[in-house]
Amino acid sequence: MKKWIISIALLLVVGCGIFWATADQDMRRLVLNMPTDTNVLFWSTEQRDAGFRALDRVPLLSKSRVIAAGGNVYPLPAGAPLDIGLDVDAYMASQRAAALIIVQDGKVRLEQYGLDFGPEGRWTSFSVAKSFTSTLVGAAIKDGYIKSVDDMVSDYIPDLKGSAYDNVTIKQLLTMTSGVAWNEDYGDPQSDVAQFASHKPEPGVDVTVSYMRQLKSEAEPGTKWVYKTGETNLIGVLASSAANKPLAEYLSEKVWQPFGMQQDATWLLGSTGHEVSGCCVQAATRDFARFGLFIMGGGKAGGEQVLPDGWIAEATTKQADIGRPGHGYGYQWWTLDDGAYIAQGIFGQGIFIDPKRQLVIASNGNWPQATDRQGGDQGQERLAFYRQVQRAIDNETQR
């Protein structure tokens, strides 16, 4: 018996040694900082540094589905360096930025990395994925899978019938004006956003649908804006059900392959197998920038129009008042009154798009907190950086 125990111990030691010898730097970092809490909102900074670049590589943390890239890559040629007029190194350090790419007029004007991250790595998007999800709703309308944004949500998700979502339209879900009560406090372990991913669903019901259909209304649909990640997860269930295919497959088919993304990406899955569509696309930062170019270019990929006429204009202009002058919310896009719009996620992820200046800024990072509401000012600093880049480009054109 003792020999068997020794043999097993030796096999474990050898197995661990082989793993360590063959593992890349990202996997080693994750093993050394393996989270003990399943909820990313409450990981340490070191755990997030390790996890954000490898969430899709450890099935114990979360399973994922591949968003396959194609063979032809959309080119991102180098352009003249952009004189932004500030210390970019200091900015990236303050942001704890893993990547920063500025593309203007189709050329890379700045590309810089931090946190031992690089162009070949994938970083998780968090709520940047919301804008991917709403884009797939547009594609589903173009393809005839969804008739209109004025359709009722429960027509596509029958398990919501009889709930507070029974009289909510797809448009109200896209604009987060359903009137259903929700708590998105990232610092509160008892908030809806902290609790719903670990919900135990009823048999045969998607985990998000199971959680969301128990919520109560607090306002008439269309009258009150409240940011709700759970509702974007419902949008994902709706789009996937309408198209009768996984979101990762649909995104690959409509955008990732025909537009020319350079690398495969992944999309994390919930416990019942749907993509976590309010979050969690892992992709190279250059491919996040390419997605910005896809949207700014009118939603064409491979010579085909992917989105309905007028969809992008409607999706990226203010549909809901969020109580901040100069800001608004479209179809899962944050809007600015100057015509720019943003896909953004907690802890420093973002795609800033400014059609007037043909400008896309893609960035990934790991802020010390989820948003400025939990402390810090990285969100304000990032918006100020966007404005500084706009001024730098304006200064060039005035010379």
Side-chain angles (χ1 to χ4, degrees), residues 97-318:
L100 174 64
I101 298 176
I102 298 175
V103 181
Q104 197 259 330
D105 277 341
K107 297 180 179 179
V108 178
R109 306 292 307 275
L110 182 146
E111 182 171 8
Q112 198 160 318
Y113 296 90
L115 303 183
D116 294 323
F117 189 65
E120 302 304 319
R122 294 194 298 245
W123 198 271
T124 197
S125 64
F126 292 100
S127 290
V128 168
K130 289 180 168 69
S131 303
F132 287 71
T133 299
S134 74
T135 299
L136 291 179
V137 172
I141 292 174
K142 175 72 172 176
D143 288 342
Y145 298 133
I146 296 172
K147 182 181 178 182
S148 167
V149 294
D150 296 320
D151 290 350
M152 293 296 170
V153 172
S154 57
D155 289 343
Y156 295 85
I157 309 177
D159 285 332
L160 288 176
K161 289 188 181 296
S163 75
Y165 288 98
D166 205 1
N167 63 339
V168 171
T169 67
I170 296 173
K171 182 174 182 177
Q172 289 161 348
L173 210 58
L174 287 168
T175 57
M176 297 195 182
T177 57
S178 67
V180 176
W182 174 270
N183 180 353
E184 186 87 7
D185 186 345
Y186 301 113
D188 180 4
Q190 301 306 313
S191 66
D192 291 299
V193 74
Q195 292 288 321
F196 82 110
S198 60
H199 174 69
K200 302 299 182 185
E202 301 102 311
V205 181
D206 174 79
V207 63
T208 298
V209 175
S210 177
Y211 187 91
M212 302 300 284
R213 70 181 186 177
Q214 69 185 358
L215 302 178
K216 305 299 182 184
S217 294
E218 63 177 359
E220 284 295 313
T223 64
K224 182 178 181 179
W225 179 84
V226 176
Y227 189 74
K228 308 182 187 81
T229 291
E231 293 196 340
T232 315
N233 285 15
L234 283 183
I235 295 169
V237 173
L238 187 153
S240 177
S241 299
N244 195 30
K245 61 187 69 176
L247 291 184
E249 180 182 330
Y250 199 31
L251 182 60
S252 173
E253 171 192 325
K254 305 307 295 187
V255 180
W256 223 253
Q257 292 194 40
F259 190 75
M261 302 306 182
Q262 187 167 1
Q263 298 183 38
D264 289 350
T266 62
W267 208 327
L268 298 190
L269 305 178
S271 61
T272 47
H274 273 111
E275 286 82 353
V276 184
S277 47
C279 173
C280 308
V281 169
Q282 285 68 225
T285 313
R286 276 181 158 237
D287 286 338
F288 284 129
R290 287 184 175 96
F291 183 76
L293 293 172
F294 163 76
I295 293 294
M296 191 168 67
K300 293 181 180 179
E304 299 291 330
Q305 186 66 44
V306 175
L307 302 172
D309 291 341
W311 176 267
I312 291 177
E314 194 171 333
T316 61
T317 54
K318 183 188 292 187

Side-chain angles (χ1 to χ4, degrees), residues 45 48-49 52 95-97 115 123 347 349 364-368:
T45 300
R48 295 196 305 270
D49 276 351
F52 287 2
Q95 289 278 300
R96 300 199 79 255
L115 303 183
W123 198 271
F347 296 112
Q349 326 320 321
N364 288 314
N366 180 18
W367 292 349

